[in-house]
Amino acid sequence: MTTGFSSSSCRFADYFVICGLDTETGLEPDELSALCQYIQATSFRDGARRMSASANEGENFEQSPLRRTFKSKVLAHYPENVEWSPFDQDAVGMLCMPKGLSFRTQADAREPRFHSFIITREDGSRTYGFALTFYEEVTSKQICSAMQTLYHMHNAEQYEVLHSGAAALPEDALHAASPFSRLQRFNSYDISRDTLYVSKCICLVAPLPFPQASRRVLQELHQAVTAAQPPPLPLESYIYNVLYEVPLPPAGRSLKFSGVYGPVVCQRPSTSELPLFDFPISEVFELLGVENVLQLFTCALLELQILLYSRHYQRLMTVAESITALMFPFQWQHVYVPILPASLQHFLDAPVPYLMGLHSNGHDDRSKLELPQEANLCFVDIDNHFIELPEDLPQFPNKLEFIQEISEALLAFGVPPEGRLRCSDSMTKLKVFRASDRRNGNLSGSPLSSYLLKENETIARLQALVKRTGLSLEKLDAKENQGSNKDVKVQCDEEELRMHKLNIHVREIFANRFTQMFADYEVFVIQPSQDKDSWFSNREQMQNFDKASFLSDQPEPYLPFLSRFLETQMFASFIDSKILCHDDEDKEHVLRVFDARVDKIRMLNVRTPTLRTSMYQKCTTIEESEKAIEMRLTKMDHTALHPHLLDMKIGQGRYEAGFFPRLQSDVLSTGPTGNKWTKRSAPAQWRRKDRQKQHAEHLYLDNDQREKYIQEARNLGTAIRQPKLSNLSPSVIAQTNSKFVEGLLKECRNKTKRMLVEKMGREAVELGHGEGSITGVEENTLIASLCDLLERIWSHGLQVKQGKSALWSHLLHYQESEEKRDAPPGGLAPPGFNPERRKSDAGSALPPLKISLIQDMRHIQNIGEIKTDVGKARAWVRLSMEKKLLSRHLKQLLLDHELSNKLYKHYAFLRCDDEKEQFLYHLLSFNAVDYFCFTNVFTTVMIPYHVVVIPSKKLGGSMFTANPWVCVSGELSETGVLQVPKNTLEITFECQNLGKLTTVQMGHDNSGLYAKWLVECVIVRNEITGHTYKFPCGRWLGKGVDDGSLERILVGELITSSTESEDRFCRTPPLQHSPGMIRRLVTISPSSKPKLNTGQIQEGVGEAINGIVKHFHKPEKERGSLTLLLCGESGLVWALEQVFQHGFKSPRLFKSVFIWDYLEKAQGHFETLEQQDMADENWRMRARNFCRFMRAINGTPRNIGKDGKFQLLVCLGAREHLLHHWIALLADCPITAQMYEDTALIKDHTLVNSLIRVLQTLQEFNITLEASLVKGIGI
């Protein structure tokens, strides 16, 4: 969600609230939160049968009354209401006491606990709450007797359960039950001997987050009630003062006001500094360690689901607020509930990105926590220094250097970078530890945990780096102590100043990373050409940022992270607000500060704006920001009015020590009438304009149409943004779920559209949709986000979670039921095979592959490299997409209604028929494009291939006696020579993934009586993905026939499968152009082939060269096959053949003359001239090179024939950038005059010069030839 603060308020606090036990209504069980606890408990309990499972599970049998939750009420709030921030009773009540009332006896610990919370309204604005919970003695006799009665009932029930189960239990299990009875005694309550205490909470609701000041105010109010001596003034005076007489400090100013016992200080950054943040970041690093914080931060930036887990509400809030504050200039756009009340736990089922905090009871470990979906979840156990990450999480750019810089900052303040392992078993130990921790400030004596260093490679490497740079803890501490001995009188305590300094240190380091990474972002923002209204109405279709160009400028290691980050809602919203704010006055605060920093960096680094380096640049703005805070805290800008006696009746304002009283509502319900800063606008610092400026810091200015645009633009990506904190009836829950379903469908539509637009490239650009190409990294990102969406859809409304991947779990259930159903009586056919087959385009050469969801699952299950369920589900999705069967497979899976009904609740997305149909239809649109998302990702898996050699039908190979062989090459590797049985001419073999196939080398050993073979083509099929490649030949292999070749290199094309008409959509042109037309050279009857004129030949050469130039101008990840551009149909070899064929004199009868014959004659001529030493050095150098290459090719042990040799010469000439020299040599050679007609292209100087110029463009490219082309050549 946006960090918008509620505007219009200029008071420090809007409300003072008291929550607790309403003695008039008595004890009411908190049903929803009790239900959640019951569900957690029942996952360990199954009557008395499983009682022996664990002695510690006793309290989960049935909560003892002291451990149950009871409804808390808002007992009072002052004032009744304020117009700019209406009081939300449900939300405040739930968040002040998220688990309801709790009871204690004198035997239990009852220290006051402080926590803060946040209420996000539907418009994105926020209100903050600060609550202090403490225990008061229960004076109501009815409540005490009610508790006693509950205990009698509870003990009777437990006795019955124990003894009814005892008969069935073995003796050792009865011994195991004894701790259970001890626990009951410990939890018991006896009205005659125990004192009963109940929780109560006092709370400030404020427009801005000042937790430190609010904590102090509340602690002093509580202290005033519990102290032996009453405070100087009645409590009402202090509360009235903080509500009505303490203003918010303006931006860039500090303010001092009075608590009950001492001054309270708060300060606020100016409009040119980082936004307000007042939570202790050091605590987050102490709890989690730098490495974990950075991983959590990466998850948040990529908008994954994040669940924080802790026993302490304040820790949940501190971690959530710190992570979102460190994102500057980006803002979390999705569900944000740092403290999830127990009654709202069903919200964990939300199939949307969220950042939520869940309260742990301290007894359950992670394994006992049943979460609806985990495929895309980052789980953070704050108390145990542990984080569980989703698979395939990319690394944050420059991670090691970044960790080092943060660690240096933390060490300077005595915070160990690997965090402090806290003792979670004993709260008292923990408190002592934390108290000393706070007192010592920089804890220089605390040694770094060697255990953690051993466990954590990154930190270990870091320590080595720190040692190498000569840094040591002692030096840093000395430096800090030296620094703090300045004669500066700071108005707040040292601890608070240290917190502010450390906060700004760390935040500046994080902000600097984004400033460096996005220093040039403005260059890539696509400004809309139309007016704002039409831009907004077409917002979903519009590209607002040139992602492809931006990514192509980035260092390679940044790409996995950046390509995913650019797809997030937070990045889109950031760019939207940039587009909507043209001048500086318009800009919201965050954008203005960020742009100012970017400008500064660009002035400092005067360099090409788009030239990016991965050199790490440290933060340089810390000192400046630190000084600003120190100045504000040294000299107070404002002091608020002191608390004073109010107009109260005699006798009012007295109360009993130890009890927080009901306050006098008549004096607290209205503020002063003539207050100078609420009514009058005279003093400069409280002028209205200044006040608006303060709020512009965190909220876009009111009454501005731009606010509407940005807010609505943010709502585009998500249907539901924030749970409504109210008592939830079934109808509200149903409504929420229908919003989820609607949101998932919308997200599916947007994702499929985006992927298709990116993939269809040029066509899409012509339609005005955006950039024309898609990088491999970006395609991977989009497919990964589709897999995440499918996991969220399959997790929605699950009855019982099984395994981390809901999709794979559903597939396994399906596989199991199908295999049972299909098991043949005699086991004749493999189970799970769907008899349906996909038609084969390769004629009858290859039997068609069976279409089988189960078979595709088996392929994935056989891949040993994929270990986890989430990984298997993703691999299956990728395979189905590559085979164009995703929609079909999922449709088949969901047709098993019996299984769906068993696995999913009635409101789940997969049981909403209309939405499900639309969803499958959107997925069907992927069949319009070719994906290689399985082949390109699983590069090391073993894949079976099937090869068939098809001889010519006219001159069948029935008499053929030699032994044929093939060698298949792909973009990743090649097979080596494989012998093909001459009777069947087909072979199936398994080898490591070859990638997209490029060439097939084929030949024979020339043995036997009839070793001449006319081959039409070779067909190769990948037996997992079903991709079939055709390698046309149409030539003889044999001595004394055609060009005498015994082996040929064939270039392939992918055959597009013809799926059934229901699956067919409009097709894009095939991905690879390949030699469909059989290439023949000057043969016996040259007249049989249509001859090209010089214009057509020039055009052909131009297009071939153009294809190669375009190839090298694409980012490396998205380049196709260079072999195709050189040797394929209309490739460079073909184009130069046309040049040399033009005007070639007709051979005598019965004699074939090949271009290679002409080149050999030219070679002989050049060698003769060189011996005579007749030409200049430059000419001789070129001629020498030409002859060297000719000799090398003629000397190769391979029998590649004359045409094969010509192809090799062209490829080597292109690689060595010599083609244009050779054309010039040959054009002037006397042999050319003998063998060519006068009209030949090679004899026309103008045309030859233009050809040379075109070939020269290849000089700037580094051409690498596929190994199959140059095998056996020693150059």
Side-chain angles (χ1 to χ4, degrees):
M1 295 298 296
T2 54
T3 25
F5 297 92
S6 60
S7 65
S8 309
S9 168
C10 47
R11 310 202 299 216
F12 178 81
D14 290 333
Y15 296 99
F16 180 79
V17 187
I18 306 171
C19 293
L21 170 65
D22 186 346
T23 47
E24 287 169 22
T25 57
L27 287 183
E28 284 183 75
D30 188 348
E31 287 155 23
L32 274 166
S33 109
L35 178 69
C36 291
Q37 291 188 354
Y38 169 75
I39 290 166
Q40 282 178 346
T42 48
S43 58
F44 312 113
R45 179 193 118 210
D46 188 10
R49 287 193 303 281
R50 289 173 52 192
M51 198 186 67
S52 59
S54 160
N56 303 330
E57 287 169 12
E59 81 159 41
N60 288 317
F61 267 82
E62 198 55 75
Q63 294 283 346
S64 67
L66 273 182
R67 294 289 171 264
R68 286 179 202 166
T69 54
F70 297 93
K71 261 188 195 162
S72 67
K73 295 268 176 74
V74 173
L75 303 176
H77 65 277
Y78 313 100
E80 196 58 40
N81 209 19
V82 295
E83 57 189 283
W84 57 83
S85 175
F87 187 71
D88 187 340
Q89 182 138 334
D90 284 334
V92 173
M94 269 189 189
L95 291 166
C96 278
M97 305 181 99
K99 281 211 161 177
L101 292 173
S102 59
F103 286 89
R104 297 278 184 273
T105 64
Q106 75 286 349
D108 302 307
R110 303 186 306 280
E111 279 80 14
R113 276 274 171 83
F114 171 81
H115 77 271
S116 36
F117 58 84
I118 190 167
I119 298 171
T120 308
R121 297 194 188 85
E122 286 186 359
D123 65 354
S125 63
R126 291 178 171 181
T127 302
Y128 289 81
F130 306 99
L132 185 75
T133 307
F134 50 90
Y135 286 88
E136 276 185 358
E137 189 180 328
V138 178
T139 50
S140 157
K141 290 278 187 289
Q142 290 98 316
I143 300 288
C144 292
S145 339
M147 185 57 77
Q148 179 77 73
T149 311
L150 284 173
Y151 256 100
H152 286 320
M153 287 160 66
H154 176 70
N155 289 341
E157 274 172 35
Q158 292 308 309
Y159 183 81
E160 200 178 310
V161 167
L162 270 172
H163 287 270
S164 63
L169 284 172
E171 198 176 326
D172 56 344
L174 283 171
H175 291 302
S178 59
F180 169 74
S181 32
R182 281 205 299 278
L183 184 76
Q184 293 309 314
R185 281 200 296 281
F186 173 73
N187 277 339
S188 68
Y189 168 66
D190 183 337
I191 198 164
S192 56
R193 72 159 192 259
D194 292 324
T195 313
L196 190 63
Y197 294 86
V198 68
S199 56
K200 189 177 228 175
C201 173
I202 52 175
C203 165
L204 283 176
V205 176
L208 289 186
F210 287 112
Q212 306 308 319
S214 303
R215 180 182 212 146
R216 193 161 204 155
V217 169
L218 294 171
Q219 281 173 338
E220 291 193 2
L221 283 171
H222 178 248
Q223 196 184 332
V225 177
T226 50
Q229 294 299 315
L233 293 169
L235 285 186
E236 282 83 351
S237 294
Y238 300 105
I239 292 165
Y240 182 90
N241 179 251
V242 86
L243 284 178
Y244 299 113
E245 296 171 335
V246 176
L248 276 176
R253 311 281 176 83
S254 52
L255 170 77
K256 182 155 87 175
F257 62 97
S258 304
V260 181
Y261 297 110
V264 179
V265 169
C266 60
Q267 55 91 27
R268 190 168 163 192
S270 73
T271 49
S272 60
E273 295 173 63
L274 291 178
L276 171 64
F277 180 77
D278 199 36
F279 291 84
I281 279 184
S282 61
E283 198 173 313
V284 180
F285 286 97
E286 286 171 352
L287 288 164
L288 294 173
V290 181
E291 171 93 357
N292 283 344
V293 170
L294 197 52
Q295 298 282 45
L296 169 58
F297 181 65
T298 308
C299 290
L301 288 171
L302 298 179
E303 297 184 337
L304 302 175
Q305 291 178 324
I306 296 171
L307 185 63
L308 309 174
Y309 191 60
S310 171
R311 297 170 66 175
H312 306 270
Y313 293 122
Q314 186 57 12
R315 284 184 184 178
L316 294 172
M317 188 71 181
T318 303
V319 172
E321 284 289 283
S322 300
I323 289 299
T324 50
L326 292 175
M327 286 177 180
F328 170 90
F330 305 103
Q331 296 168 345
W332 180 259
Q333 298 292 317
H334 300 276
V335 174
Y336 182 69
V337 191
I339 296 172
L340 187 67
S343 53
L344 287 184
Q345 282 196 15
H346 67 279
F347 242 88
L348 293 172
D349 199 13
V352 290
Y354 59 65
L355 201 167
M356 299 204 219
L358 187 62
H359 186 258
S360 121
N361 60 14
H363 304 296
D364 295 350
D365 64 8
R366 165 72 181 94
S367 60
K368 293 177 184 173
L369 193 64
E370 282 290 315
L371 298 170
Q373 47 203 31
E374 294 182 44
N376 204 24
L377 180 77
C378 169
F379 178 83
V380 187
D381 185 343
I382 297 172
D383 304 334
N384 294 316
H385 195 99
F386 165 74
I387 181 167
E388 200 174 286
L389 297 166
E391 289 180 28
D392 306 327
L393 186 72
Q395 194 158 296
F396 192 80
N398 293 112
K399 185 179 166 186
L400 261 180
E401 296 95 326
F402 191 28
I403 285 181
Q404 186 188 351
E405 189 179 4
I406 301 164
S407 302
E408 285 171 13
L410 293 173
L411 287 166
F413 288 87
V415 178
E418 77 279 20
R420 295 192 171 102
L421 268 182
R422 298 171 179 270
C423 321
S424 51
D425 54 340
S426 153
M427 287 313 296
T428 48
K429 243 192 275 180
L430 180 69
K431 267 198 289 298
V432 170
F433 183 49
R434 287 192 64 184
S436 69
D437 183 334
R438 291 278 173 268
R439 275 199 303 279
N440 298 343
N442 59 7
L443 264 171
S444 58
S446 118
L448 297 177
S449 160
S450 58
Y451 159 73
L452 267 164
L453 284 180
K454 264 182 264 169
E455 291 293 298
N456 190 327
E457 281 177 57
T458 310
I459 298 284
R461 288 204 296 272
L462 197 66
Q463 290 302 115
L465 269 170
V466 170
K467 268 185 198 151
R468 280 209 302 281
T469 50
L471 261 167
S472 81
L473 276 168
E474 288 72 22
K475 280 184 208 165
L476 285 163
D477 291 334
K479 191 167 86 182
E480 195 197 292
N481 294 338
Q482 199 182 322
S484 58
N485 288 340
K486 295 181 209 150
D487 299 325
V488 175
K489 181 80 184 80
V490 183
Q491 302 282 322
C492 66
D493 63 21
E494 281 297 322
E495 185 58 36
E496 201 172 321
L497 177 64
R498 177 178 170 274
M499 182 205 85
H500 286 306
K501 280 184 165 182
L502 175 54
N503 277 8
I504 205 67
H505 257 73
V506 174
R507 291 178 68 206
E508 286 287 353
I509 289 168
F510 274 79
N512 176 57
R513 282 309 332 114
F514 286 122
T515 323
Q516 300 285 353
M517 277 157 66
F518 291 97
D520 305 328
Y521 86 100
E522 287 181 72
V523 180
F524 302 98
V525 174
I526 301 168
Q527 290 294 346
S529 48
Q530 66 272 65
D531 62 277
K532 279 185 184 175
D533 280 314
S534 49
W535 173 81
F536 187 74
S537 56
N538 294 310
R539 174 66 199 88
E540 284 185 53
Q541 282 80 40
M542 303 300 293
Q543 288 281 348
N544 63 2
F545 192 73
D546 184 355
K547 292 172 187 165
S549 307
F550 178 79
L551 288 172
S552 65
D553 275 355
Q554 300 304 312
E556 185 77 14
Y558 289 16
L559 295 180
F561 170 80
L562 280 177
S563 60
R564 280 180 68 174
F565 180 64
L566 299 190
E567 294 297 323
T568 58
Q569 187 71 27
M570 73 175 76
F571 185 76
S573 294
F574 174 74
I575 299 296
D576 281 348
S577 56
K578 176 73 182 170
I579 288 171
L580 290 167
C581 311
H582 288 297
D583 49 26
D584 266 10
E585 277 306 300
D586 264 2
K587 285 180 189 172
E588 52 175 295
H589 169 245
V590 167
L591 190 60
R592 194 165 53 244
V593 174
F594 185 68
D595 281 355
R597 287 165 175 245
V598 162
D599 293 342
K600 204 170 178 183
I601 275 198
R602 282 159 79 166
M603 277 166 64
L604 287 172
N605 307 355
V606 183
R607 58 190 174 93
T608 320
T610 52
L611 185 71
R612 311 293 294 164
T613 72
S614 54
M615 211 175 82
Y616 189 84
Q617 288 164 308
K618 279 191 166 184
C619 180
T620 54
T621 50
I622 296 176
E623 214 170 304
E624 198 182 316
S625 311
E626 209 176 68
K627 269 186 192 148
I629 290 177
E630 237 170 40
M631 271 174 65
R632 284 196 290 275
L633 291 175
T634 308
K635 181 181 169 293
M636 284 295 126
D637 296 306
H638 302 287
T639 304
L641 217 61
H642 284 280
H644 50 86
L645 269 172
L646 301 173
D647 187 10
M648 290 165 73
K649 299 185 182 82
I650 294 171
Q652 282 186 336
R654 289 188 186 167
Y655 41 86
E656 203 179 330
F659 293 91
F660 202 92
R662 281 249 172 156
L663 301 166
Q664 304 302 316
S665 55
D666 51 345
V667 292
L668 291 179
S669 56
T670 51
T673 47
N675 188 317
K676 67 171 185 175
W677 55 268
T678 51
K679 292 289 177 191
R680 259 185 12 227
S681 56
Q685 69 265 34
W686 305 119
R687 277 210 304 271
R688 184 170 176 281
K689 189 157 194 274
D690 196 25
R691 193 158 79 242
Q692 274 194 335
K693 221 175 192 172
Q694 306 161 27
H695 293 292
E697 175 185 341
H698 288 293
L699 186 77
Y700 330 114
L701 293 171
D702 294 337
N703 309 324
D704 189 342
Q705 197 186 15
R706 191 177 73 254
E707 168 62 12
K708 179 193 104 183
Y709 288 133
I710 293 178
Q711 204 51 54
E712 287 188 30
R714 287 189 171 130
N715 283 318
L716 277 175
T718 45
I720 179 144
R721 313 199 47 76
Q722 206 60 18
K724 184 90 181 84
L725 299 181
S726 58
N727 285 323
L728 288 163
S729 62
S731 64
V732 174
I733 293 177
Q735 190 186 349
T736 305
N737 274 301
S738 70
K739 277 189 180 175
F740 282 152
V741 169
E742 197 183 304
L744 285 170
L745 186 61
K746 188 172 185 182
E747 195 179 340
C748 177
R749 183 176 67 241
N750 291 345
K751 271 209 167 66
T752 47
K753 192 170 193 176
R754 163 102 168 86
M755 288 170 74
L756 285 170
V757 163
E758 289 288 6
K759 188 72 181 168
M760 290 167 96
R762 199 178 305 112
E763 293 168 32
V765 175
E766 282 161 13
L767 296 169
H769 283 304
E771 61 255 44
S773 61
I774 177 166
T775 65
V777 174
E778 199 170 354
E779 177 172 310
N780 244 340
T781 302
L782 292 172
I783 288 169
S785 77
L786 175 74
C787 293
D788 293 343
L789 172 65
L790 292 177
E791 281 295 357
R792 290 204 313 250
I793 286 174
W794 256 258
S795 301
H796 183 238
L798 262 180
Q799 295 274 18
V800 180
K801 190 185 138 295
Q802 294 168 329
K804 283 202 170 183
S805 165
L807 174 57
W808 189 249
S809 164
H810 192 168
L811 284 166
L812 288 173
H813 278 104
Y814 178 79
Q815 185 181 26
E816 193 183 325
S817 68
E818 285 296 299
E819 285 178 351
K820 276 181 195 162
R821 198 178 303 160
D822 290 356
L828 297 170
F833 263 114
N834 187 318
E836 199 174 349
R837 289 169 180 270
R838 179 173 267 184
K839 294 191 193 83
S840 171
D841 270 310
S844 55
L846 278 174
L849 270 185
K850 289 170 181 169
I851 295 177
S852 162
L853 184 159
I854 305 281
Q855 191 57 34
D856 285 348
M857 281 185 71
R858 288 214 191 99
H859 287 315
I860 302 302
Q861 286 161 328
N862 292 337
I863 297 175
E865 290 92 328
I866 307 173
K867 309 285 186 204
T868 63
D869 285 358
V870 175
K872 285 173 184 165
R874 288 183 175 191
W876 182 84
V877 169
R878 284 174 177 277
L879 177 59
S880 303
M881 278 190 77
E882 189 160 322
K883 294 177 85 164
K884 302 190 180 185
L885 291 173
L886 181 62
S887 179
R888 187 174 181 150
H889 278 349
L890 292 178
K891 186 175 183 177
Q892 190 182 336
L893 177 68
L894 296 173
L895 277 176
D896 189 338
H897 298 299
E898 193 185 328
L899 181 61
S900 301
N901 296 349
K902 189 172 96 181
L903 295 178
Y904 289 91
K905 294 169 186 159
H906 66 91
Y907 60 75
F909 182 94
L910 296 177
R911 287 185 63 184
C912 301
D913 292 338
D914 288 353
E915 284 79 4
K916 189 170 71 183
E917 280 302 311
Q918 289 180 57
F919 157 71
L920 291 171
Y921 183 76
H922 289 314
L923 294 185
L924 186 59
S925 59
F926 286 133
N927 292 6
V929 289
D930 296 317
Y931 278 103
F932 286 86
C933 47
F934 179 84
T935 304
N936 291 344
V937 169
F938 297 99
T939 52
T940 58
V941 303
M942 298 301 285
I943 287 184
Y945 291 92
H946 190 90
V947 179
V948 179
V949 181
I950 300 177
S952 167
K953 290 186 180 75
K954 291 174 194 164
L955 301 156
S958 52
M959 297 156 62
F960 177 59
T961 55
N963 299 302
W965 56 266
V966 293
C967 171
V968 183
S969 304
E971 288 181 356
L972 298 175
S973 63
E974 68 170 36
T975 58
V977 171
L978 302 162
Q979 296 300 326
V980 181
K982 59 185 168 201
N983 51 346
T984 58
L985 291 183
E986 58 182 283
I987 175 178
T988 301
F989 61 91
E990 192 173 60
C991 69
Q992 192 169 307
N993 186 354
L994 300 172
K996 291 180 202 165
L997 302 188
T998 50
T999 60
V1000 162
Q1001 299 159 63
M1002 67 166 307
H1004 61 77
D1005 62 359
N1006 200 32
S1007 61
L1009 294 170
Y1010 190 75
K1012 295 180 176 65
W1013 195 25
L1014 181 60
V1015 176
E1016 191 176 304
C1017 65
V1018 177
I1019 288 177
V1020 184
R1021 183 171 68 197
N1022 176 323
E1023 294 291 278
I1024 288 183
T1025 65
H1027 283 317
T1028 307
Y1029 295 83
K1030 184 177 183 179
F1031 296 85
C1033 177
R1035 304 290 296 272
W1036 284 93
L1037 284 93
K1039 292 283 184 195
V1041 63
D1042 204 334
D1043 65 344
S1045 170
L1046 290 184
E1047 64 175 274
R1048 295 199 183 277
I1049 298 167
L1050 311 178
V1051 181
E1053 66 176 327
L1054 179 68
I1055 302 171
T1056 53
S1057 62
S1058 62
T1059 38
E1060 281 63 21
S1061 56
E1062 62 166 293
D1063 283 11
R1064 277 192 78 81
F1065 257 65
C1066 60
R1067 284 208 47 76
T1068 50
L1071 194 87
Q1072 298 174 312
H1073 291 284
S1074 26
M1077 192 168 73
I1078 293 169
R1079 180 159 56 78
R1080 298 298 304 270
L1081 296 185
V1082 185
T1083 54
I1084 302 169
S1085 53
S1087 56
S1088 62
K1089 203 150 186 229
K1091 289 183 178 172
L1092 302 180
N1093 62 34
T1094 50
Q1096 290 168 321
I1097 292 171
Q1098 279 181 296
E1099 199 178 309
V1101 174
E1103 279 182 15
I1105 298 288
N1106 207 7
I1108 295 170
V1109 171
K1110 276 185 184 168
H1111 171 89
F1112 283 102
H1113 277 291
K1114 287 180 187 171
E1116 206 168 324
K1117 286 268 163 62
E1118 33 170 312
R1119 292 174 185 173
S1121 163
L1122 186 58
T1123 307
L1124 273 170
L1125 298 172
L1126 292 169
C1127 311
E1129 180 187 343
S1130 306
L1132 184 61
V1133 173
W1134 172 85
L1136 290 178
E1137 274 171 10
Q1138 304 310 310
V1139 169
F1140 285 109
Q1141 274 182 27
H1142 189 260
F1144 205 49
K1145 285 183 180 169
S1146 297
R1148 291 192 304 276
L1149 204 58
F1150 308 125
K1151 173 118 168 74
S1152 293
V1153 180
F1154 292 87
I1155 294 173
W1156 190 253
D1157 298 327
Y1158 154 69
L1159 293 174
E1160 282 183 326
K1161 285 186 179 177
Q1163 177 196 353
H1165 172 76
F1166 295 142
E1167 283 171 343
T1168 315
L1169 278 185
E1170 205 179 335
Q1171 284 160 9
Q1172 294 170 7
D1173 204 11
M1174 283 171 64
D1176 66 35
E1177 186 53 41
N1178 199 5
W1179 185 94
R1180 277 169 47 207
M1181 178 76 178
R1182 291 173 186 181
R1184 206 175 295 139
N1185 261 333
F1186 176 75
C1187 296
R1188 183 164 65 93
F1189 277 89
M1190 290 289 292
R1191 282 194 298 273
I1193 292 169
N1194 272 327
T1196 177
R1198 294 169 68 188
N1199 292 300
I1200 52 176
K1202 292 177 179 177
D1203 289 346
K1205 289 175 180 177
F1206 175 75
Q1207 175 171 293
L1208 193 47
L1209 183 72
V1210 172
C1211 291
L1212 289 169
R1215 184 183 77 183
E1216 305 297 330
H1217 307 131
L1218 295 171
L1219 285 178
H1220 56 287
H1221 292 322
W1222 294 349
I1223 294 283
L1225 270 181
L1226 293 165
D1228 292 337
C1229 177
I1231 304 294
T1232 309
Q1234 292 167 24
M1235 295 185 73
Y1236 281 88
E1237 311 277 359
D1238 290 343
T1239 54
L1241 188 151
I1242 195 89
K1243 287 171 100 171
D1244 184 325
H1245 284 292
T1246 318
L1247 294 179
V1248 167
N1249 285 338
S1250 114
L1251 177 62
I1252 288 169
R1253 275 198 304 277
V1254 171
L1255 288 170
Q1256 277 174 329
T1257 55
L1258 294 181
Q1259 278 183 285
E1260 57 186 287
F1261 305 117
N1262 183 17
I1263 292 174
T1264 308
L1265 299 177
E1266 202 177 300
S1268 62
L1269 294 177
V1270 290
K1271 214 179 267 180
I1273 299 292
I1275 293 181

